[in-house]
Amino acid sequence: MQRTLLVTVTVMFFCAWAPDLGAAHGEDAPIRIGMSGAFSGPARELGEGMRKGIEAYFAHVNKQGGVLGRKLSLIALDDAYEPARTGPNMRKLIDDEQVFAVLGNPGTPTATVAVPIANEKHVPLIGAFTGAGVLRKTPPDRYVINFRASYAQETAEMIDGLVNELGLRPDQLAFFTQNDAYGDSGYNGAIAALKRLGYQDAERLPHARYPRNTLDVEAGLSRLLDPSINPRAIIMVGASKPCAKLIRLAKHHGLQALFVNVSFVLGDALNRELGPDGENVVVTQVVPSYESDLPVVKEYRGAIDAKDISFISLEGFIAAKAMVEGLRLSGSSPTREIFIDTLEQGKPIDLGLGETHPLSKTRHQISDRVWPTVIKHGRFEQLDHWSQLKQYLRGQS
Amino acid sequence: MKALRERLSKLGGNSSIEANLKLLGIAGLALFVTLVASLFYVQHGLLHSQERLTGVTLPIRRTLGRLDAAVGDAFRREAQLSSARDATQLKTLVDRSAIERDLHNAMHQLRELWPRAVETGADRGAMDKLDASVKAFLASDAELTAALERRHALQARFDVQLGAVDKDLRALIEGAQSISGVLRLDFIVTLRQIHQGVQYNGGAPASLIKQITVGTTRAALDSMAELVDAVLALGVLVGKTGLASSRDSLTAVAANELAQNHTQITRVLGALQLHLQGSPALERLTELKKQYDALSARIVDEKQADSLLQLRRQVLEEAAHAVESHELGIARAGELTGAVEQLRAAATTLATEATADAVRVADRGRVFSALVAVIGVLVCLFAALRIRQSVSSLQTHNRELQNLKNNLEHVNQNLEGIVAERTAAMLQRERALQLVLDSMSDGMISAGLDGQLRPERSKTVVEWFGEPHARVKVWDYLYPIDERCASAFRVGFDQLVADDLPFELCRDQMPRAIERDQRSFALDYQPMREGEQVVSVVIAIRDVTLQIEVERAERIAREQQRTIAFLLKDKRGFARMARECEGLVTQVIGSDDVVLRRRALHTLKGNSAIFGLITVSERAHELETKLEEQGELSENDGEQLRALWHDSMVRLEEFVAHAHDTYEIAETDLEPVLTALRHRVDYQDILRMVEAFRLEPAGAALRRLGAQARRLAQEHGKSMQVQVADNGIRISPESFQALFSAFVHAIRNAIDHGVETAEERLASGKPEIATLALRVGQLPDHQLVFEIADDGRGIDWGRVRDKARARGLPADTSEELQELIWSDGFSTRDEVSSLSGRGVGMSALRAVCHEMGGSVGLHSTAGLGTTIRCVVSIPQLQRMASRRPSIRSSIRVSRA
């Protein structure tokens, strides 16, 4: 009773000042959704990809009459991947633009700034393009809703695939990570997965690092090329350019191993960067291949320009769809609070990924799925089973 | 009296008192004037001192207090200024206009006040000194502020430069590490090649081994390690520069450690350049060298104003300057405080002097006042002695006057005694009279001609009617609430005392009874005359409550006796009547329909009268009248009727009990059954005969009606005989009860309207005694016919027609006239009697007949009488049993 009252009072309070879908701009005005991302600078591919995906889905929905009878519009502000600019952007979106939610912000360092603001202003922060732990607290932050699997889940999937399916011994694994929180979260996820498999010496495995925002991979590579070790698979948690440089140099110096990257490496960029050296490089994805036959992917291919097809824009597309499905479940005039409450009630959300995704108070992440892919002849092929890589390993040895 | 006057004239001679009083007055006036003058003097002196205190000394001290506070504020601000950490913090403190304003205001006030203090003896120089101190203090404060501002500005610049240096250092370290990574990769790759050579080719090439043991790879790696160390050391030295707290320590760092570090880095970079010839890292190294040169200039270049060392040096200089300024400020502030203290001392001196002046003046005033007081006391003593002599002579005169007064009083007292004696005798007589009145058991009051109640009245009246108000009129006293009765009484009373008519005649018009508090009183009036003239009226009041109660009880007893007589004669009839009346009472109370109510009341009236329940009958009559006049009855009326009925029934209960359980069977009825049994007649026949016992001979019911009719006739002073013919028909009394009740109306009508008095009958040639015939007969188709026939005067159809026309009803054909007789509320009578006349009875009879599935008819011939004929169906239940004539005939046959 008291809790209900509290919720009621809270809802009333927010109804009083917080713009719901209609308060600020009238019943027929579009639903305004905000985004702060890198649209300039080295990481611009991230922001542009997410925006293209989101806008494609919004256009797709608007063409069908919108959601709850209202059109969707995206207000995207550029933060050039600099956390210092993310804060002002978030405040501007919430206070001036009166957006209903913030959707698809890319990047971990920017997220560290965006999350406290979303919590303070009680504005949902949905589908950020990062698998970092700062968005995945236990219990979850009320206003943070994730779409994708975490980096830890990705590296855990790698360990599972490499050891259980491909049959490698744990001591045949090595790591190459960026020396920051991003690299740490991927590395820690893998170590935890190894320990779960019963391999207690996981920390002793070769671990090469490189400084963020540099291409100085040589020191790390020298660690991996050390004649005293012979790794068969390198688990890589880094950015596309340094990773590409490492793979190229390692192959050049004759390191015969499987290079396994997490999704944040941006598979398409890595592929471009490596060219012919990219053959057999593995990238785990948190969205299915854009050549998949899943309903949502078909929908995506029908809605987006062929030149904009990428894993990033596909994730933007699905994240946008997740938000819209949430809105549809939230009744005729949802407020932010009703939106979150509805999601937490666990109504299953069907995104067309072949399964439904119920959320709860303790679960704010829609998908746990990780799709491993491998570059074959310059294209990504989905790996149905890690043992498919055996042939490559054999060919090497 | 003459003697008295003479003695008074001797008592003059009080002129000596006057003279003494005059002397006393003059002395007092002189003293008063002297005292006032001394008071003025003292007050003037005190006021002067007061003015010096409040007008000069106190304001000066207040202002000095403010000055102190302002100086305190300035101190506090300086302390805050000195401890300010950066320019922003300083900025909030720099503004000193508030303190300057406070100081200037205080000084301005002091400058205005001081001349007056100087007039009263203060030091002129103290003020000038203070002025100078304030100026000096403000100047030193300004200097401190400026020094601090400069210092913090420099510090800010230094911090910016330090930040830039720090960033460059980080880049330098990253660059060094990057080159180091490249070199390490070379090293590892070489190792790998050696390892592969050893593993697969049985040995490694010597050139490779040489390269990593004594070759360039080894040298480059070593130099690189040294470079990284030196760059890290440079970072530490930069930190030291920022922390250096004196110019000397700063110089030491610059001259020794920084210089050595520079030499080392330059050397290592040169060596590396040699080692890396041809390596991809050479380009990076060249860049690194450029970076270092720029950074080095930023840190140590003495020529650059913005170099880190230069800035730090200036900061330290300014800091030292600020400390000096602060110390100077503290000294100046000390001087200022001293000057203030000096002024305060001067002000205190002034205050002390003013107070001393005031004390002197007050002392003088006290001495002078005491002197004047002593003189006053002496003069008073002298005058008092003189006055005392005069007073003793006055006392002598007074005593003589007292004697004279006593004589006069004695004469007066004799007169008063005589008057009192006579009054007492009169009062005694009055009391005696009142005693007589009070001892009477009957009440008595008397009223004057204007109706005003006179005082003589008996005590019982007061007990009954309460204590009368003064001048109350007799009618208001007797009827305090009922204004109508009061005014009627007043009219009668006026007539009574008017003397126009004989008193006794008027007395008969006066009310003889009065109800009060549920008691009844009888009133009687007697005139009181003086000569022939009536002067007042005595009203005797007797409590007759008990008497009336007794009369009522007697009436009830008589009624009960009569009722019991009826009851004993016809128990079942009475019981049925009682049941029906009970229903009627309920109908009167419960029904909303006025017509039904009227019928119920009417029937109740008749039924109860038949059995001698006169009280109920009378009450029903009253209610009927009321219903007619007012169109409705109150709830209370109904309840009273029910209570009355209930009381009557309770009294008769023991006589009525068991009436229903008993069947009366006559010998003549039983005999045929016995005969049938003896002859073993068919069982079904015997059953019918016995079942018929539950029926009643119709003759019994008719005879009952007949008895009622006779009694009613008797009550109305008419003699009448009743003939009954039942033709051996038995009926179920319950089924026909309503019909017989309705017959009562017809019988009433017959007696009231139809039957003439004996004289009338004789005059018209009829037998003296009238005849009422009650007959019942059987018709085919299970129908019975009842007839009520009288040989009275018959209905006057002409009169019926007139009445109907007067009321606008159709009355032309004989059917229409008949219809009128049967319709509700139509009666030919102009007056309503207890018997009939309301036009209700006939309609009730018709209603009952219709209810029983029958019809009713009337045949009347003027002068010969009226016959009413009712045809009704035999109720289904009764048909089997009433087939008796056949049985009877069979028995008769057997008897014969």
Side-chain angles (χ1 to χ4, degrees), chain B residues 863-881:
Chain B
L864 291 182
T866 307
T867 303
I868 293 170
R869 195 178 151 92
C870 296
V871 180
V872 295
S873 300
I874 301 171
Q876 190 70 33
L877 275 172
Q878 199 191 323
R879 282 181 194 165
M880 293 279 284

Short mmCIF file of all heavy atoms in Angstrom, two decimals, chain B residues 863-881:
data_model
loop_
_atom_site.label_atom_id
_atom_site.label_comp_id
_atom_site.label_asym_id
_atom_site.label_seq_id
_atom_site.Cartn_x
_atom_site.Cartn_y
_atom_site.Cartn_z
N GLY B 863 -96.39 5.99 3.16
CA GLY B 863 -97.46 5.72 4.11
C GLY B 863 -97.59 4.25 4.46
O GLY B 863 -98.18 3.93 5.50
N LEU B 864 -97.03 3.36 3.62
CA LEU B 864 -97.23 1.93 3.91
C LEU B 864 -95.95 1.24 4.41
O LEU B 864 -96.02 0.20 5.02
CB LEU B 864 -97.73 1.22 2.65
CG LEU B 864 -99.15 1.61 2.22
CD1 LEU B 864 -99.57 0.83 1.01
CD2 LEU B 864 -100.14 1.38 3.35
N GLY B 865 -94.85 1.77 4.07
CA GLY B 865 -93.61 1.16 4.60
C GLY B 865 -92.58 0.87 3.51
O GLY B 865 -92.81 1.15 2.34
N THR B 866 -91.47 0.33 3.96
CA THR B 866 -90.33 0.09 3.06
C THR B 866 -89.88 -1.36 3.20
O THR B 866 -89.85 -1.89 4.32
CB THR B 866 -89.16 1.00 3.42
OG1 THR B 866 -89.63 2.34 3.46
CG2 THR B 866 -88.02 0.87 2.42
N THR B 867 -89.60 -1.99 2.06
CA THR B 867 -89.03 -3.34 2.12
C THR B 867 -87.70 -3.35 1.38
O THR B 867 -87.61 -2.87 0.24
CB THR B 867 -89.98 -4.33 1.44
OG1 THR B 867 -91.24 -4.25 2.08
CG2 THR B 867 -89.43 -5.75 1.58
N ILE B 868 -86.68 -3.85 2.08
CA ILE B 868 -85.37 -3.99 1.42
C ILE B 868 -85.13 -5.48 1.21
O ILE B 868 -85.37 -6.29 2.12
CB ILE B 868 -84.26 -3.40 2.29
CG1 ILE B 868 -84.42 -1.88 2.38
CG2 ILE B 868 -82.87 -3.73 1.73
CD1 ILE B 868 -83.54 -1.21 3.38
N ARG B 869 -84.69 -5.81 0.04
CA ARG B 869 -84.57 -7.22 -0.33
C ARG B 869 -83.15 -7.47 -0.86
O ARG B 869 -82.72 -6.85 -1.83
CB ARG B 869 -85.58 -7.47 -1.45
CG ARG B 869 -85.89 -8.91 -1.77
CD ARG B 869 -86.95 -8.89 -2.88
NE ARG B 869 -86.82 -10.08 -3.69
CZ ARG B 869 -87.50 -11.21 -3.44
NH1 ARG B 869 -88.33 -11.28 -2.43
NH2 ARG B 869 -87.31 -12.27 -4.23
N CYS B 870 -82.46 -8.39 -0.17
CA CYS B 870 -81.08 -8.70 -0.59
C CYS B 870 -81.04 -10.14 -1.08
O CYS B 870 -81.49 -11.04 -0.38
CB CYS B 870 -80.09 -8.60 0.57
SG CYS B 870 -79.97 -6.97 1.20
N VAL B 871 -80.50 -10.35 -2.27
CA VAL B 871 -80.32 -11.70 -2.78
C VAL B 871 -78.81 -11.97 -2.83
O VAL B 871 -78.07 -11.19 -3.43
CB VAL B 871 -80.92 -11.83 -4.19
CG1 VAL B 871 -80.71 -13.24 -4.71
CG2 VAL B 871 -82.39 -11.49 -4.16
N VAL B 872 -78.36 -13.05 -2.12
CA VAL B 872 -76.92 -13.37 -2.13
C VAL B 872 -76.72 -14.84 -2.42
O VAL B 872 -77.60 -15.66 -2.17
CB VAL B 872 -76.25 -13.03 -0.79
CG1 VAL B 872 -76.29 -11.55 -0.54
CG2 VAL B 872 -76.94 -13.76 0.35
N SER B 873 -75.53 -15.18 -2.93
CA SER B 873 -75.21 -16.58 -3.20
C SER B 873 -74.84 -17.25 -1.89
O SER B 873 -74.22 -16.62 -1.01
CB SER B 873 -74.02 -16.69 -4.14
OG SER B 873 -74.33 -16.05 -5.33
N ILE B 874 -75.20 -18.57 -1.78
CA ILE B 874 -74.74 -19.32 -0.61
C ILE B 874 -73.26 -19.63 -0.84
O ILE B 874 -72.90 -20.14 -1.91
CB ILE B 874 -75.52 -20.63 -0.47
CG1 ILE B 874 -76.99 -20.32 -0.32
CG2 ILE B 874 -75.03 -21.43 0.74
CD1 ILE B 874 -77.88 -21.53 -0.39
N PRO B 875 -72.42 -19.32 0.09
CA PRO B 875 -71.00 -19.62 -0.12
C PRO B 875 -70.80 -21.11 -0.37
O PRO B 875 -71.52 -21.94 0.18
CB PRO B 875 -70.36 -19.21 1.20
CG PRO B 875 -71.31 -18.23 1.79
CD PRO B 875 -72.68 -18.62 1.34
N GLN B 876 -69.80 -21.46 -1.20
CA GLN B 876 -69.55 -22.83 -1.66
C GLN B 876 -69.47 -23.81 -0.51
O GLN B 876 -70.04 -24.88 -0.54
CB GLN B 876 -68.23 -22.84 -2.44
CG GLN B 876 -67.95 -24.11 -3.19
CD GLN B 876 -68.87 -24.27 -4.37
OE1 GLN B 876 -69.27 -23.27 -4.98
NE2 GLN B 876 -69.28 -25.48 -4.66
N LEU B 877 -68.77 -23.42 0.53
CA LEU B 877 -68.52 -24.29 1.66
C LEU B 877 -69.81 -24.81 2.29
O LEU B 877 -69.89 -25.89 2.82
CB LEU B 877 -67.75 -23.53 2.73
CG LEU B 877 -66.24 -23.51 2.56
CD1 LEU B 877 -65.65 -22.55 3.59
CD2 LEU B 877 -65.69 -24.90 2.73
N GLN B 878 -70.79 -23.93 2.21
CA GLN B 878 -71.98 -24.22 2.99
C GLN B 878 -73.00 -25.04 2.24
O GLN B 878 -73.93 -25.56 2.80
CB GLN B 878 -72.58 -22.86 3.38
CG GLN B 878 -73.53 -22.90 4.54
CD GLN B 878 -74.25 -21.58 4.65
OE1 GLN B 878 -73.64 -20.56 4.42
NE2 GLN B 878 -75.51 -21.61 4.98
N ARG B 879 -72.79 -25.18 0.93
CA ARG B 879 -73.86 -25.73 0.10
C ARG B 879 -74.23 -27.16 0.49
O ARG B 879 -75.36 -27.53 0.61
CB ARG B 879 -73.45 -25.69 -1.36
CG ARG B 879 -73.62 -24.28 -1.87
CD ARG B 879 -73.26 -24.15 -3.30
NE ARG B 879 -73.13 -22.74 -3.60
CZ ARG B 879 -72.56 -22.28 -4.67
NH1 ARG B 879 -72.05 -23.10 -5.55
NH2 ARG B 879 -72.50 -20.99 -4.88
N MET B 880 -73.20 -27.98 0.70
CA MET B 880 -73.44 -29.38 1.04
C MET B 880 -74.29 -29.48 2.29
O MET B 880 -75.32 -30.16 2.34
CB MET B 880 -72.09 -30.06 1.31
CG MET B 880 -71.20 -30.19 0.09
SD MET B 880 -71.68 -31.57 -0.90
CE MET B 880 -70.99 -32.87 0.11
N ALA B 881 -73.85 -28.74 3.30
CA ALA B 881 -74.48 -28.90 4.61
C ALA B 881 -75.89 -28.32 4.67
O ALA B 881 -76.72 -28.76 5.45
CB ALA B 881 -73.62 -28.26 5.67
#
